[in-house]
Amino acid sequence: MTLFQHSLKAAVAALVALSACSKNPTPASGSSTSLDNPNQPVAKYGGKIITLKEVDTQAAGQLKQLEKQKLDLRIQTAEQIAVQSLLKEEAAKVGQSDEQWLKANVDSKIPTPSDDQIRKVFDENRDRMPPGSTIESMREQIITYLGQDQRRQLAMKVLDDLKAKAGFEMLLEEPRIQVEAKGPAKGTDGAKVTIVQFSDFECPFCSKAEESIDQVMEQFSGKVRLY
C-alpha cells in the first residue's frame, strides 16, 4: 500500500478505508432468545431465573456505550458508502481511477515546504533521528511528514465538497433524552431556549461551569430560562 493511500485513510477517518466482510455467527441449533421482552429468561441456576431486565439494568452503562459505538459505526459506514460512490462517479467523468483522481485533486495541490520549514523540523527532532543524520539525508522524509497533515486536511475538504455538491444528508442521529424542566428557575418565562442544569455543589468543575451559566444568562437576558 502506498503512502498516499495510508494518508487518505487517515484523512477520512475510515470513510474510504475498506473493511473485510465478516459472516455473522450461526446461532446454536434450537436456541432462540428474544431481546424485546424484558422478562425474557436469559439464564437459570438453582431454581432461580435471571431475566433480560436484570442483566440490562446491571450492564446499563456498558450497553449504552455499545449502542453509541453501534450508532457511530453506522454513521461512519453510511458516509463511507456515499464517499466511495461519489468518488467513483467523479473519477469516471474524467476517465480516471479513484486514486488517480485523488492525486490530481489532492496531492498535486500540496505546496512543497520551504527550506526554513524543513530546517525547523530537523532541529526540533534531531535527537530522535538516526546518528549522523543531516538535513539533506532526511529531506525527503521531512517533506513527507510536513505534507501529511496538509494532505489530510485537503482530502477531507475535497470529500466534504463532493458530499455537499450531492446534497448528502445524514439521517441517523443520536437519540435525545427528554428532560422535564421543572423546579426552581430564573429567566424569562416562555423563553425560546431552556437550560436544565444538574450540578454538584462540591464539584470544582461545576463551580467553574456556573461562571459560564451566569455569562449566558446575562448576555442573552430575556431569551433564556434556567432550571
Side-chain angles (χ1 to χ4, degrees):
M1 182 173 291
T2 66
L3 175 62
F4 176 82
Q5 289 171 316
H6 277 296
S7 300
L8 177 62
K9 287 187 177 183
V12 297
L15 293 183
V16 181
L18 296 174
S19 13
C21 296
S22 59
K23 295 182 179 179
N24 293 326
T26 304
S29 177
S31 65
S32 177
T33 302
S34 170
L35 298 181
D36 297 325
N37 181 8
N39 296 318
Q40 166 72 37
V42 296
K44 60 183 179 180
Y45 65 100
K48 297 181 180 180
I49 294 293
I50 300 174
T51 66
L52 181 62
K53 182 178 181 180
E54 290 179 89
V55 172
D56 286 357
T57 299
Q58 186 158 327
Q62 295 93 321
L63 288 172
K64 185 174 292 186
Q65 290 178 2
L66 288 174
E67 286 298 318
K68 178 68 166 60
Q69 291 174 6
K70 184 165 70 173
L71 176 65
D72 290 343
L73 179 59
R74 284 172 169 167
I75 290 174
Q76 188 178 40
T77 303
E79 287 185 304
Q80 174 184 312
I81 293 170
V83 166
Q84 288 174 337
S85 176
L86 292 170
L87 191 54
K88 286 184 181 298
E89 290 177 7
E90 289 299 314
K93 290 178 183 178
V94 291
Q96 295 178 334
S97 67
D98 300 2
E99 186 173 346
Q100 288 173 333
W101 189 91
L102 284 165
K103 283 184 176 180
N105 288 272
V106 176
D107 242 23
S108 63
K109 297 182 180 181
I110 298 174
T112 302
S114 66
D115 289 340
D116 289 341
Q117 290 175 308
I118 294 173
R119 178 173 293 279
K120 181 180 179 184
V121 172
F122 179 81
D123 290 340
E124 291 177 348
N125 298 274
R126 187 191 299 267
D127 294 340
R128 293 190 288 272
M129 294 181 181
S133 295
T134 64
I135 290 182
E136 289 308 314
S137 68
M138 300 298 296
R139 176 176 289 273
E140 290 303 317
Q141 293 183 50
I142 293 174
I143 290 175
T144 298
Y145 166 76
L146 289 172
Q148 284 178 346
D149 188 55
Q150 289 179 308
R151 181 180 291 109
R152 179 185 61 81
Q153 293 183 29
L154 184 55
M156 289 181 67
K157 182 181 184 305
V158 167
L159 296 176
D160 283 343
D161 288 345
L162 287 180
K163 290 192 295 181
K165 182 180 177 182
F168 175 83
E169 181 182 0
M170 178 55 64
L171 303 180
L172 288 174
E173 61 179 22
E174 191 168 353
R176 299 191 178 194
I177 299 175
Q178 296 296 325
V179 178
E180 187 177 5
K182 66 178 182 179
K186 62 181 179 179
T188 304
D189 191 14
K192 291 185 177 181
V193 175
T194 298
I195 299 175
V196 180
Q197 181 183 17
F198 296 84
S199 189
D200 181 350
F201 293 111
E202 296 182 355
C203 172
F205 297 102
C206 291
S207 299
K208 292 181 179 180
E210 192 66 28
E211 298 176 7
S212 299
I213 291 291
D214 290 340
Q215 290 176 6
V216 169
M217 296 303 295
E218 180 179 351
Q219 183 176 349
F220 299 98
S221 177
K223 300 181 181 178
V224 178
R225 186 164 178 81
L226 172 67
Y227 285 88

